[in-house]
Amino acid sequence: MLRIAVPNKGMLSEPAWAMLSEAGYTLRSNPRQLVVEDPDNDVELFYLRPLDIAVYVGMGTIDVGITGHDLLLNSGTDAQEEMNLGFGGSTFRFAAPQDSPITTLDDVEGKRVGTSFDKLVHDYLTEHGINATPIHLDGAVESSVQLGVADLIADVVSTGTTLRNAGLRIFGEPILHSEAVLIRSPRLDTQDERLERLERRLQGVLTAKRYVLMDFDIPVEKISAAVQITPGFESPTISPLHDKQWAAVRVMVPKAKVNQLMDQLYEVGARGIIVTAIQATRM
């Protein structure tokens, strides 16, 4: 069986569970379950702490896992990044107290940096020639300055509201941009058919989320103009209609551009434009 690690909790957990469910895998029915066997798909799901997933994949017997790009880098293991999963986007940044003189990366020299990502911070500072001391904390990083264990922090930022509420301000360039990724054990062959099947399914879910099916009727002499607007993945499906002067076109288009594309198609003569959600794909 292919052993898959998924986050047991945290911001990556529910999107990861939803993606696996949409890819056809059986999830746990009880939140206390930590291991779920899915013999129909020849997989075993392990619900683990997000911070530990890269370690289990890189050093243990787990074959693949879903975790954050930042968590993978911070783990220091040999787990390999396989594909981006399109959710859990975040930015990793420095923040200091509002009244602190620390305003640039150079000001971090000699300071204590409270963080849950001490390896990632150490590597970044070393790369930029800054000598500072990462202070490892498992939680409540934003309180570390007020409680006297750090001079500034480095943490994951989404809206920045939590930091502002703690009297902190972001400064400098982002340390890292992160999102959820599928990672692979260095002991798992990249050509393993189980891994390839999993990746095809996950890519199918991603494609279904990003694209929709668009159907429309178009005068035959306007087909070329319509195809230029909506070329599709390979080529649109074009079918004759009862009225030989018209044809029906079916094509996949990016969901984010649906309304602009409908406007453009209408202007070149398309009518009866219908958009349909895609449940699953194999491209």
Side-chain angles (χ1 to χ4, degrees):
M1 282 190 172
L2 186 73
R3 294 180 141 198
I4 305 174
V6 294
N8 188 39
K9 58 182 179 180
M11 73 174 189
L12 298 180
S13 59
E14 291 190 12
W17 304 340
M19 175 169 272
L20 288 169
S21 177
E22 290 168 11
Y25 295 101
T26 299
L27 305 184
R28 65 185 182 185
S29 55
N30 185 324
R32 294 186 178 181
Q33 283 181 283
L34 297 180
V35 181
V36 176
E37 288 191 11
D38 182 0
D40 291 341
N41 289 302
D42 196 30
V43 303
E44 214 173 359
L45 294 179
F46 291 80
Y47 291 79
L48 302 171
R49 291 178 65 221
L51 288 169
D52 297 334
I53 287 176
V55 176
Y56 282 106
V57 173
M59 302 173 64
T61 60
I62 298 293
D63 298 307
V64 294
I66 294 176
T67 188
H69 174 64
D70 51 355
L71 297 173
L72 170 62
L73 293 181
N74 195 63
S75 73
T77 70
D78 293 329
Q80 303 295 307
E81 194 166 310
E82 278 292 299
M83 64 184 293
N84 295 332
L85 298 178
F87 64 88
S90 62
T91 305
F92 194 66
R93 306 195 66 157
F94 289 115
Q98 295 286 357
D99 57 355
S100 169
I102 302 172
T103 59
T104 69
L105 182 60
D106 289 340
D107 296 331
V108 180
E109 179 72 26
K111 299 297 191 295
R112 301 167 300 165
V113 185
T115 185
S116 298
F117 298 78
D118 40 313
K119 180 183 184 303
L120 196 158
V121 171
H122 174 270
D123 292 348
Y124 181 85
L125 293 173
T126 300
E127 179 185 347
H128 289 79
I130 304 295
N131 183 23
T133 304
I135 305 296
H136 178 78
L137 298 165
D138 284 330
V141 172
E142 63 275 5
S143 300
S144 62
V145 176
Q146 181 182 4
L147 297 180
V149 300
D151 303 302
L152 69 152
I153 71 166
D155 202 9
V156 175
V157 177
S158 53
T159 64
T161 301
T162 301
L163 295 182
R164 287 192 294 273
N165 290 341
L168 301 172
R169 53 168 171 75
I170 296 166
F171 70 91
E173 295 296 318
I175 301 170
L176 180 74
H177 293 285
S178 182
E179 69 171 289
V181 292
L182 179 72
I183 61 174
R184 167 183 60 82
S185 166
R187 296 168 296 283
L188 183 66
D189 189 338
T190 56
Q191 305 301 314
D192 190 301
E193 64 178 12
R194 299 169 304 167
L195 174 63
E196 292 180 343
R197 184 185 308 118
L198 172 64
E199 291 183 335
R200 280 197 305 272
R201 289 193 180 191
L202 295 180
Q203 189 58 57
V205 172
L206 289 175
T207 303
K209 289 180 180 297
R210 294 170 181 166
Y211 287 83
V212 293
L213 274 179
M214 184 174 285
D215 292 272
F216 58 88
D217 296 341
I218 189 83
V220 172
E221 69 272 14
K222 300 291 187 178
I223 290 177
S224 294
V227 171
Q228 287 184 356
I229 297 170
T230 55
F233 267 91
E234 295 174 358
S235 180
T237 299
I238 300 175
S239 307
L241 295 177
H242 179 71
D243 184 337
K244 302 303 181 184
Q245 298 181 53
W246 285 75
V249 178
R250 167 167 283 192
V251 63
M252 286 178 64
V253 302
K255 184 183 294 186
K257 296 183 178 180
V258 163
N259 286 291
Q260 295 95 318
L261 293 174
M262 286 197 292
D263 291 340
Q264 294 173 42
L265 288 169
Y266 192 88
E267 289 173 2
V268 299
R271 297 294 183 267
I273 306 172
I274 299 173
V275 176
T276 309
I278 298 173
Q279 182 69 27
T281 69
R282 292 292 185 277
M283 305 304 295

